[in-house]
Amino acid sequence: MMAPQGLPPYRMAPLGMLCGLLFASCFIFCLSHQNPNKFALTNPEKSSMKESERKEAKAEEDLDPEILEVFHPTEEWQALRPGQAVPAGSHVRLNLQTGAREVKLQYEEDKFRNNLKGSKKGKRLDINTNTYTSQDLKSALAKFKEGEEMKNSKEDKMDNAQDLLSFGGLQVVINGLNSTEPMVKEYAAFVLGAAFSSNPKVQVEAIEGGALQKLLVILATEQPLTAKKKVLFALCSLLRHFPYAQQQFLKLGGLQVLRSLVQEKSTEVLAVRIITLLYDLVTEKMFAEEEAELTQDSSPEKLQQYRQVHLLPGLREQGWCEITAHLLALPEHDAREKVLQTLGALLATCRDRYRQDPQLNRMLGSLQDEYQALATLELQEGEDDGYFRELLASINSLLKELR
């Protein structure tokens, strides 16, 4: 697959970067211990490293333990010679390029931040797989989640994703979706969803890394509801504003997966999110076509990609006209609002199906009466442009179209 052209540049954000890089370091450690063959780090000089390690181990065995030299670490990485003893509290790592063990003092947070700032200038971060525990991973994930949920700017979120991409952490997180531990799978999905948002370059890398297939497999299998929420968030972030991913989603049977998910019991919260996603995808393509007409650009690349996304025919064939209509029975006003929006977006495709659905007409009539009463109360309270009046207007418009 060829990546779309003309991807925008990205900047870095220190706080998100700190959490993202710490997360990836911990993540690699835990996953590599769960499945060493699948998540082990590789190196072109692997054979020479092993030979070097064997020689070093043999030399250490030959040394007299009574004359071991105590190594005095500093704040910089230094090679550890055979026979040197490492003081407690030191960081020890294996340099993947040279095969040598290296030691330094524990980083203070400010020193760690300075090192991360250096990675902005093109330096690749050395991921230490020997320092962190499972508890460290949980702590790092919690910090990353907290940082992402803060009201950061769009640029900050793009920076965080670029950090993850710049040192190869994205594929590690994608592979984390295969984990048998629910927490790792759930938080891997959250990190991916945050990384995909408004970041075309990361979206492209994720498609090439098999993220879409893994997300759909999780949604199609028995999983905790909390995990499916995070996976659906990641899927939505991957598909929005990325027509190539939408094409692949349809080819992989994504609409069937979402249909099964909506029809499961006790998944109403997922149903609303799915309906919102479908509305976004339908209107996104519509706006792309309208924009192309306004600019009189006959063959923009992105418009060509959108024209290959046959979403509306797929929705009709997969029964989404009826599924969407029946979701009006949800009790929450916010859920009904999203369903009404989607019904309107699908009107041109589903008009005949709507007219043949007696349950939909009864539901619209019932909601018309309910929201007429609520809109009247709004007017009495002095709210000229109230929320319920907007819902009532949407219902009246649909009823008029279906006459």
Side-chain angles (χ1 to χ4, degrees):
M1 183 198 74
M2 294 185 63
Q5 300 297 316
L7 298 175
Y10 306 93
R11 302 187 299 275
M12 306 300 253
L15 176 59
M17 179 168 55
L18 171 63
C19 296
L21 296 177
L22 177 59
F23 155 74
S25 301
C26 301
F27 204 76
I28 294 171
F29 171 76
C30 290
L31 295 179
S32 62
H33 278 65
Q34 287 180 359
N35 191 342
N37 293 328
K38 188 163 187 176
F39 296 104
L41 294 174
T42 59
N43 188 346
E45 300 177 1
K46 182 177 180 181
S47 59
S48 62
M49 283 171 51
K50 290 185 176 180
E51 181 64 21
S52 174
E53 291 171 6
R54 284 195 294 269
K55 290 180 180 179
E56 185 178 86
K58 181 65 171 61
E60 287 180 305
E61 292 173 1
D62 295 339
L63 290 173
D64 185 348
E66 297 297 327
I67 57 173
L68 287 177
E69 176 188 353
V70 177
F71 182 83
H72 298 285
T74 66
E75 293 179 349
E76 302 295 330
W77 287 110
Q78 299 181 71
L80 182 67
R81 297 196 304 273
Q84 288 184 314
V86 180
S90 301
H91 273 296
V92 181
R93 74 176 182 186
L94 177 65
N95 188 309
L96 298 180
Q97 299 299 319
T98 65
R101 286 184 297 170
E102 297 178 343
V103 184
K104 69 175 177 179
L105 291 173
Q106 288 274 6
Y107 263 139
E108 297 177 357
E109 184 172 341
D110 58 341
K111 293 294 183 181
F112 187 41
R113 287 178 181 270
N114 289 336
N115 184 57
L116 294 178
K117 289 178 182 178
S119 68
K120 295 181 183 179
K121 302 175 182 179
K123 298 179 182 178
R124 187 176 182 87
L125 182 69
D126 291 314
I127 299 175
N128 185 348
T129 64
N130 301 312
T131 305
Y132 299 103
T133 66
S134 178
Q135 187 58 41
D136 293 329
L137 170 62
K138 294 177 183 178
S139 176
L141 287 171
K143 290 178 182 178
F144 191 95
K145 183 174 184 293
E146 180 181 357
E148 285 295 331
E149 288 179 342
M150 292 175 64
K151 294 183 178 180
N152 294 336
S153 67
K154 179 179 177 181
E155 289 78 10
D156 288 339
K157 294 180 182 295
M158 292 168 61
D159 291 341
N160 296 343
Q162 284 299 107
D163 297 337
L164 195 63
L165 185 63
S166 64
F167 64 92
L170 182 65
Q171 188 61 53
V172 176
V173 182
I174 291 173
N175 291 343
L177 295 172
N178 294 329
S179 174
T180 57
E181 185 176 349
M183 185 278 290
V184 175
K185 186 177 297 185
E186 177 181 337
Y187 280 92
F190 174 82
V191 172
L192 290 173
F196 297 155
S197 298
S198 303
N199 204 323
K201 187 173 183 179
V202 179
Q203 288 175 315
V204 170
E205 292 288 339
I207 286 289
E208 294 179 343
L212 179 58
Q213 294 90 327
K214 296 180 190 298
L215 293 171
L216 290 176
V217 166
I218 295 175
L219 292 175
T221 55
E222 188 71 24
Q223 303 288 342
L225 181 61
T226 54
K228 289 196 173 185
K229 285 181 181 179
K230 295 296 188 297
V231 169
L232 185 57
F233 163 61
L235 178 66
C236 293
S237 298
L238 181 59
L239 295 182
R240 286 189 173 100
H241 307 292
F242 190 9
Y244 180 82
Q246 296 171 23
Q247 295 173 37
Q248 300 306 307
F249 168 77
L250 295 176
K251 290 179 182 178
L252 292 170
L255 287 179
Q256 294 93 315
V257 172
L258 296 185
R259 181 183 63 187
S260 298
L261 197 57
V262 167
Q263 293 173 337
E264 290 180 9
K265 293 181 179 180
S266 303
T267 58
E268 289 81 4
V269 62
L270 299 183
V272 174
R273 296 180 185 185
I274 289 170
I275 288 299
T276 303
L277 170 64
L278 297 179
Y279 170 79
D280 290 344
L281 297 183
V282 169
T283 55
E284 181 184 306
K285 179 179 179 179
M286 184 187 310
F287 291 149
E289 293 173 342
E290 291 177 356
E291 183 180 2
E293 291 179 2
L294 290 175
T295 58
Q296 298 181 346
D297 191 344
S298 58
S299 59
E301 181 181 352
K302 200 161 190 178
L303 179 60
Q304 290 179 357
Q305 292 178 359
Y306 274 118
R307 285 174 175 167
Q308 298 176 35
V309 179
H310 306 296
L311 178 60
L312 287 172
L315 290 171
R316 181 181 173 89
E317 293 169 6
Q318 294 294 325
W320 282 96
C321 299
E322 294 78 8
I323 292 171
T324 306
H326 295 169
L327 287 175
L328 269 181
L330 292 172
E332 296 83 8
H333 298 304
D334 180 66
R336 293 173 181 174
E337 178 187 14
K338 291 178 171 59
V339 174
L340 286 169
Q341 288 177 339
T342 308
L343 287 172
L346 298 179
L347 183 61
T349 300
C350 298
R351 188 187 304 271
D352 60 329
R353 300 285 181 92
Y354 291 166
R355 286 173 173 168
Q356 297 167 9
D357 189 342
Q359 181 179 342
L360 172 61
N361 285 278
R362 287 195 299 270
M363 181 60 67
L364 287 173
S366 175
L367 291 178
Q368 185 182 41
D369 294 338
E370 177 181 348
Y371 287 119
Q372 180 65 66
L374 292 172
T376 301
L377 288 176
E378 283 182 331
L379 284 174
Q380 292 173 356
E381 294 173 357
E383 298 182 31
D384 295 333
D385 297 318
Y387 175 69
F388 296 119
R389 289 190 67 188
E390 292 180 2
L391 291 180
L392 179 61
S394 297
I395 293 169
N396 290 338
S397 177
L398 269 173
L399 287 170
K400 181 178 180 180
E401 291 289 343
L402 297 179
R403 286 172 186 165

